[in-house]
Amino acid sequence: MNPIAKRSARRRTMVAAALVLIVLAGFVVRLIDIQVVHADDHIADSQRTGNMTGSEKLWGTRGTIVDADGVVLASSTMRYDLAIDPALVGDIERTREDGTEYTQTWDEQADLIAQVSGTSADEIKRIVADTLEADPDARWAQLAKNLSTAQYQALRELELPYLVYDPKPSRTYPNGAVAGNLIGFESNDGDPLAGIELAQDSCLEAKDGEVTFAKGGADGIRIPGSEQVTPAVDGGQVQLTLDSDLQWYMEQMIAEETQNQRAVAGTVTVVDVQTGQIRAAAQYPSMDPNDVLASDPTYRGSLIFGTVFEPGSTFKPITAAMLLEEGVATPLSTTTAAGWEQFPNGARVGDSFQHPTYTYTLAGALIDSSNVALSKFGELLPDEKRYEWLKRFGIGGGAVVGFPGEENGWIRPASEWDNQTHYATTFGQAFTATIPQVVSAYQTIANGGVRVPLSLIESCTSPDGELTTMDPGEPERILSEDTAEDVRLMLENVGFQGPVAEQIKVPGYSIAAKTGTAQKTDGNGRYKSGIYFTSIVGFAPAEDPQYVVMITLDEPKRVTSSAATAPALQKAMEYVLKDQRVLPGASEPETKLPKFK
């Protein structure tokens, strides 16, 4: 070949090679653009169309609820729904440990699944057969729901390729019914419905994450390196003020006493005087949040926070407190009172027992719980002033703790009081209160006149360890120290000289206490005959109060008066004082106040 022809051939080869390189470069550039530069956009496109991607949910763990000492009252665990791929069912060739081979039949496999899942072998085989009969190409059928982690692990060890597991977080309550009515519960879908679960959902709530990935079009296999992860965020921990051991005892005790007195329901509340922390809040009937449907819907919430009633005689010390604070009476001030009287305005008031006309001291009126005497003492203050004091003690002032479903109680303005209400409000009728409101009033007296807001939630700790202490509010002085001391001494004398004094005795301690017997209405504004809501509230040691305890019994039938609650107060107070290692002291008042003059 001559030189000119050679040069022409090389030129053509170089041009062809250059064209090939240009084309290859274009492909490389386009490949880089697809797989690197705009990879995220293309993955997003595939996710939108759903034909080249897959995803898996990453479950967040809902936070725990613990008592004051860290004992777990509510936590989350993983449960599993079990399904089967009917298309893969059949005999499986297995190899024993000694190397010999054998055939594991479908019947044998069904028996093994049944032993773990709780679904019978016949039912498992029926589910598979019916599914394939309905759709020969079916690839999914449900076998069982809500299996435990232990069951899941046992099924995995069977090495059956057609079993499919769908993990789901589930709430569990290790202590069962202990504080169940306070803890609350969730729906089947994991939505909080009641109690602390609902009130503290913002702290407890977990946020689920997700893994998305690209997969091969033909085989559906996940493509390595294509994962995009949105991590799950676990919930925080809620710490309560409750003592779970104390709570357990109170639940057993109030259940026994409610049944002994053949009452409809009963409650016991224990509060630390100095901190206002609720240490126990028990009721009967109760609810186990592990099995909500087993309980009567009426008793799935908290009776302590959801009950309103006329406090009755338990609020007579509040009348005494306002009289003392306003300077119109002393513990030894006197008035005459018969067992039943009609007042000049036409109102009629009677005591719970018949007696001749006595010259009662204010202390004696409390000791004997005389409605007539308190009515006369109450007239020393105008209605508007007494209304202001009742409001100051929390009556009609709204929820005390902010618990879900907590009632408020009510009281009409003084301008709307009729002739009977003018007197009835002096002895705890014609208005309603809640258990926390009554307990708060006694906490104020026991704490030297300073009200410390009651609290049930101590703190929330986030997953990253950040502690947020709950602020129930600032303490507030309601009574002077002198007034609080006088009322405390009168209540101590009620506990020592009153009708139930012998029943509430705790050796080594002096108990300040007052009973209350509230009539119940029929819904039409009339009182039911012989039907009562009974209560007793007290604090101890009387000379240095540490704990307030309140007992209620709804419609007791064995003893219908407030005396029905006395044995429960004695048991509760004795246990609290000893359990909390409160040192014993005086067993009776240092100053014994006279009832009569």
Side-chain angles (χ1 to χ4, degrees):
M1 181 179 295
N2 61 47
I4 295 175
K6 288 181 179 179
R7 285 195 297 273
S8 179
R10 283 198 299 270
R11 191 177 298 114
R12 287 195 297 273
T13 300
M14 292 174 65
V15 170
L19 290 173
V20 170
L21 289 173
I22 290 171
V23 171
L24 289 174
F27 278 118
V28 170
V29 170
R30 180 58 177 157
L31 189 61
I32 293 173
D33 177 75
I34 292 173
Q35 294 193 350
V36 179
V37 178
H38 293 97
D40 292 341
D41 294 337
H42 294 304
I43 290 174
D45 288 340
S46 67
Q47 290 173 346
R48 284 193 295 271
T49 59
N51 58 356
M52 293 291 289
T53 63
S55 66
E56 292 180 358
K57 179 177 284 189
L58 299 176
W59 294 99
T61 302
R62 186 170 176 82
T64 57
I65 301 174
V66 301
D67 79 348
D69 297 318
V71 175
V72 176
L73 300 173
S75 62
S76 290
T77 186
M78 198 63 72
R79 309 291 289 188
Y80 299 84
D81 290 347
L82 176 64
I84 192 168
D85 183 343
L88 299 180
V89 167
D91 296 347
I92 298 176
E93 297 300 321
R94 300 286 196 187
T95 302
R96 298 186 178 92
E97 292 184 1
D98 61 4
T100 60
E101 295 184 351
Y102 70 100
T103 299
Q104 187 181 53
T105 67
W106 162 231
D107 287 345
E108 292 172 332
Q109 297 164 36
D111 286 336
L112 292 173
I113 297 170
Q115 292 173 23
V116 178
S117 68
T119 303
S120 70
D122 289 341
E123 178 68 8
I124 292 171
K125 289 185 283 188
R126 186 196 64 76
I127 291 172
V128 171
D130 289 352
T131 302
L132 290 175
E133 182 179 356
D135 179 7
D137 296 325
R139 302 299 303 269
W140 186 91
Q142 186 86 60
L143 290 185
K145 288 186 174 183
N146 208 32
L147 300 182
S148 68
T149 301
Q151 289 173 299
Y152 162 73
Q153 292 173 339
L155 289 168
R156 288 291 300 270
E157 290 174 1
L158 297 178
E159 297 182 342
L160 300 173
Y162 47 72
L163 293 182
V164 181
Y165 312 95
D166 182 18
K168 294 180 179 178
S170 176
R171 206 67 168 150
T172 184
Y173 304 90
N175 287 282
V178 175
N181 297 85
L182 300 175
I183 300 300
F185 53 89
E186 295 183 328
S187 69
N188 290 334
D189 296 326
D191 297 322
L193 297 180
I196 301 300
E197 293 279 23
L198 178 62
Q200 292 296 308
D201 186 50
S202 59
C203 176
L204 296 166
E205 183 183 19
K207 298 186 183 302
D208 296 331
E210 186 181 43
V211 176
T212 59
F213 51 85
K215 59 183 181 179
D219 53 17
I221 294 177
R222 182 186 302 195
I223 298 174
S226 65
E227 293 90 350
Q228 291 187 331
V229 180
T230 301
V233 179
D234 293 338
Q237 175 178 278
V238 170
Q239 185 167 37
L240 307 182
T241 62
L242 295 178
D243 179 326
S244 58
D245 290 337
L246 187 63
Q247 178 76 18
W248 178 86
Y249 173 83
M250 294 303 166
E251 289 181 1
Q252 308 310 306
M253 184 276 295
I254 198 61
E256 179 181 6
E257 288 299 317
T258 302
Q259 294 172 74
N260 284 346
Q261 296 296 337
R262 300 199 300 274
V264 172
T267 74
V268 53
T269 308
V270 180
V271 168
D272 186 304
V273 167
Q274 296 180 4
T275 66
Q277 292 182 334
I278 299 173
R279 306 296 287 165
Q283 70 179 64
Y284 178 84
S286 60
M287 181 272 296
D288 184 345
N290 291 305
D291 190 9
V292 176
L293 296 180
S295 62
D296 186 327
T298 304
Y299 303 109
R300 290 177 188 169
S302 172
L303 295 177
I304 288 172
F305 292 103
T307 301
V308 291
F309 59 100
E310 291 186 339
S313 297
T314 59
F315 245 64
K316 287 175 180 174
I318 307 308
T319 298
M322 63 180 76
L323 294 171
L324 269 60
E325 189 73 4
E326 292 291 337
V328 297
T330 71
L332 300 182
S333 295
T334 61
T335 190
T336 59
W340 181 92
E341 293 190 27
Q342 180 168 332
F343 289 92
N345 68 359
R348 299 177 179 183
V349 177
D351 289 343
S352 61
F353 64 101
Q354 289 301 311
H355 61 82
T357 300
Y358 291 139
T359 301
Y360 272 116
T361 64
L362 180 56
L366 292 182
I367 293 169
D368 275 1
S369 199
S370 171
N371 296 337
V372 177
L374 261 294
S375 296
K376 292 185 174 182
F377 277 119
E379 284 198 291
L380 296 173
L381 288 178
D383 290 352
E384 187 61 43
K385 181 61 68 173
R386 286 195 285 118
Y387 171 78
E388 291 175 3
W389 272 105
L390 289 171
K391 293 286 287 184
R392 193 170 183 185
F393 270 97
I395 298 302
V400 174
V401 176
F403 190 85
E406 183 175 353
E407 292 287 349
N408 296 327
W410 61 266
I411 183 171
R412 292 193 299 270
S415 60
E416 298 178 13
W417 291 3
D418 58 22
N419 290 345
Q420 195 69 35
T421 302
H422 169 73
Y423 293 105
T425 49
T426 66
F427 49 85
Q429 292 187 4
F431 62 88
T432 63
T434 66
I435 293 169
Q437 287 171 346
V438 176
V439 170
S440 178
Y442 276 72
Q443 179 277 328
T444 300
I445 295 168
N447 197 41
V450 176
R451 177 170 59 207
V452 178
L454 304 190
S455 61
L456 182 61
I457 310 297
E458 175 68 26
S459 64
C460 168
T461 303
S462 66
D464 59 6
E466 182 180 355
L467 177 68
T468 302
T469 301
M470 301 302 168
D471 180 13
E474 291 297 319
E476 179 184 4
R477 177 162 291 284
I478 304 298
L479 300 171
S480 67
E481 290 187 30
D482 289 343
T483 296
E485 172 60 21
D486 284 343
V487 179
R488 182 205 64 75
L489 179 60
M490 285 192 288
L491 281 170
E492 186 179 11
N493 273 267
V494 173
F496 183 71
Q497 301 182 53
V500 298
E502 290 299 317
Q503 293 175 271
I504 66 172
K505 275 186 176 180
V506 176
Y509 301 92
S510 182
I511 310 297
K514 185 72 188 76
T515 57
T517 306
Q519 294 174 281
K520 297 185 67 174
T521 63
D522 59 6
N524 297 313
R526 293 185 296 270
Y527 287 120
K528 296 179 182 179
S529 176
I531 303 297
Y532 302 102
F533 185 90
T534 63
S535 60
I536 187 170
V537 56
F539 50 80
E543 72 278 8
D544 182 22
Q546 300 297 310
Y547 292 95
V548 175
V549 176
M550 182 171 182
I551 307 290
T552 72
L553 289 175
D554 189 5
E555 299 186 19
K557 298 174 181 63
R558 183 167 171 266
V559 176
T560 58
S561 70
S562 55
T565 59
L569 179 73
Q570 193 279 335
K571 292 178 181 179
M573 194 68 83
E574 182 174 32
Y575 187 88
V576 169
L577 294 172
K578 293 181 179 179
D579 181 69
Q580 299 300 312
R581 296 179 174 84
V582 177
L583 293 175
S587 57
E588 60 183 57
E590 182 178 351
T591 302
K592 297 177 180 63
L593 299 174
K595 289 200 299 182
F596 310 115
K597 276 289 184 75

